[in-house]
């Protein structure tokens, strides 16, 4: 079940206003992975991260139960925020990635909450490189609590976690987006038909299974999408997790 994969919500503050503003995903008992702009947005200089919530499905109930499995939410403080050192340097939203170290370890909570796998060996684990997956695998999964309205001026935030399959095949729209990046392979695209990411989904994962569905992997972290969510012939741009593995792994500690 997708909601058991360590999906997280980030709670932030801007001035006197607090809100669940981004998604994230648990990759280690002490770390969630999210987008750089979810913790340090140049357009919101007074943004501060207050905490991380795991095990959430329905924001209006606790615990949440589905198919006989129940999950109580876990709210955790933030010990450290690590933004990718090249974030926003070579281009706007380049290397849009951050690690958030939790104030305590999230463990012994199976089956409700567990980390998603990093794509350490895509060819062995998933049957191809991350580039090849766009040609060999048709679909990935997105999930989050972002707006379900395509109108950028009228966000409609759901109370229940939304999840959907999206096509992985890049389109000309993706090619145009990636041309703005000095290293296009640092990003990947998905979507373009049907469900879409929108305001509030930033930082959430693009996921894929190992066909047998014994393990799930995070391929990308939601970075940016079109101005009008779900507009025809558009796609969402994700930060490529495999491309940034060396930075991620070098910053994880017990």
């Amino acid at each position: 079940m997708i909601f058991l994969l360590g999906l997280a919500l980030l709670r932030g503050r801007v001035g006197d206003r607090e809100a669940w503003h981004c998604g994230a995903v648990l990759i280690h008992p002490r770390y969630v992975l999210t987008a750089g702009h979810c913790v340090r947005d140049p357009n919101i200089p007074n943004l501060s991260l207050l905490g991380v919530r795991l095990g959430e499905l329905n924001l209006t109930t606790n615990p949440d139960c589905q198919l006989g499995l129940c999950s109580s939410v876990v709210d955790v403080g933030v010990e450290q925020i690590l933004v990718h050192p090249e974030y926003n340097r070579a281009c706007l939203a380049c290397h849009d990635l951050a690690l958030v170290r939790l104030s305590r370890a999230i463990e012994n909570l199976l089956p409700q909450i567990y980390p998603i796998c990093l794509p350490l060996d895509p060819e062995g684990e998933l049957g191809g490189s991350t580039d090849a997956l766009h040609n060999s695998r048709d679909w990935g999964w997105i999930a989050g609590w972002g707006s379900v309205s395509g109108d950028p001026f009228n966000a409609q935030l759901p109370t229940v976690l939304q999840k959907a399959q999206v096509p992985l095949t890049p389109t000309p729209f993706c090619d145009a987006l990636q041309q703005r990046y000095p290293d296009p392979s640092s990003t990947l695209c998905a979507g373009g038909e049907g469900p879409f990411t929108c305001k509030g989904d930033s930082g959430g994962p693009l996921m894929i299974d190992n066909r047998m569905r014994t393990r799930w992997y995070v391929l990308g972290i939601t970075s940016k999408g079109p101005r009008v969510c779900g507009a025809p012939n558009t796609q969402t741009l994700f930060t490529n997790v495999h491309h940034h593995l060396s930075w991620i792994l070098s910053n994880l500690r017990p």
Side-chain angles (χ1 to χ4, degrees):
M1 296 171 63
I2 289 292
F3 86 92
L4 300 178
L5 291 175
L7 288 165
L9 275 164
L10 301 185
R11 189 163 187 83
R13 177 191 292 138
V14 178
D16 296 328
R17 181 177 177 271
E18 294 184 14
W20 302 110
H21 71 289
C22 270
V25 64
L26 187 71
I27 61 168
H28 178 280
R30 290 295 297 268
Y31 291 89
V32 295
L33 189 64
T34 188
H37 75 268
C38 286
V39 297
R40 193 175 73 194
D41 190 332
N43 296 315
I44 311 176
N46 56 347
L47 171 66
S48 59
L49 183 61
L50 302 178
V52 179
R53 172 172 286 186
L54 293 132
E56 184 64 278
L57 178 63
N58 187 331
L59 289 165
T60 64
T61 61
N62 185 32
D64 295 321
C65 298
Q66 187 178 35
L67 301 178
L69 293 174
C70 293
S71 172
S72 295
V73 299
V74 177
D75 288 314
V76 193
V78 174
E79 180 179 300
Q80 184 182 25
I81 298 172
L82 295 168
V83 180
H84 194 283
E86 297 301 315
Y87 169 57
N88 261 350
R89 289 196 175 181
C91 68
L92 186 65
C94 271
H95 307 288
D96 189 9
L97 205 63
L99 281 166
V100 177
R101 180 173 169 84
L102 306 176
S103 59
R104 63 182 176 89
I106 303 300
E107 53 191 0
N108 301 323
L109 295 174
L110 295 174
Q112 288 87 352
I113 301 170
Y114 60 93
I116 196 170
C117 298
L118 293 171
L120 302 178
D121 177 19
E123 293 190 5
E125 297 162 339
L126 302 172
S129 67
T130 51
D131 290 336
L133 286 173
H134 283 98
N135 299 317
S136 63
R137 302 288 291 274
D138 295 331
W139 301 90
W141 283 88
I142 54 173
W145 289 264
S147 176
V148 294
S149 167
D151 185 350
F153 302 105
N154 182 29
Q156 297 178 15
L157 300 177
T159 58
V160 177
L161 173 67
Q162 305 293 300
K163 56 185 185 292
Q165 283 186 300
V166 291
L168 293 175
T169 305
T171 66
F173 182 84
C174 178
D175 294 337
L177 285 177
Q178 290 181 320
Q179 285 179 2
R180 304 173 188 175
Y181 291 74
D183 185 355
S185 66
S186 66
T187 64
L188 51 85
C189 297
E193 296 289 340
F196 50 85
T197 61
C198 201
K199 182 178 177 62
D201 285 319
S202 290
L206 171 66
M207 301 166 284
I208 195 170
D209 62 18
N210 63 349
R211 293 189 181 276
M212 295 177 288
R213 295 207 170 183
T214 55
R215 289 187 178 182
W216 286 83
Y217 296 82
V218 55
L219 290 184
I221 293 295
T222 308
S223 177
K224 61 190 302 184
R227 181 173 177 81
V228 178
C229 308
N233 303 313
T234 62
Q235 288 194 300
T236 298
L237 194 75
F238 298 83
T239 302
N240 186 334
V241 170
H242 185 261
H243 181 90
H244 296 88
L245 272 180
S246 61
W247 176 77
I248 294 170
L249 296 175
S250 68
N251 283 283
L252 298 181
R253 52 190 175 88

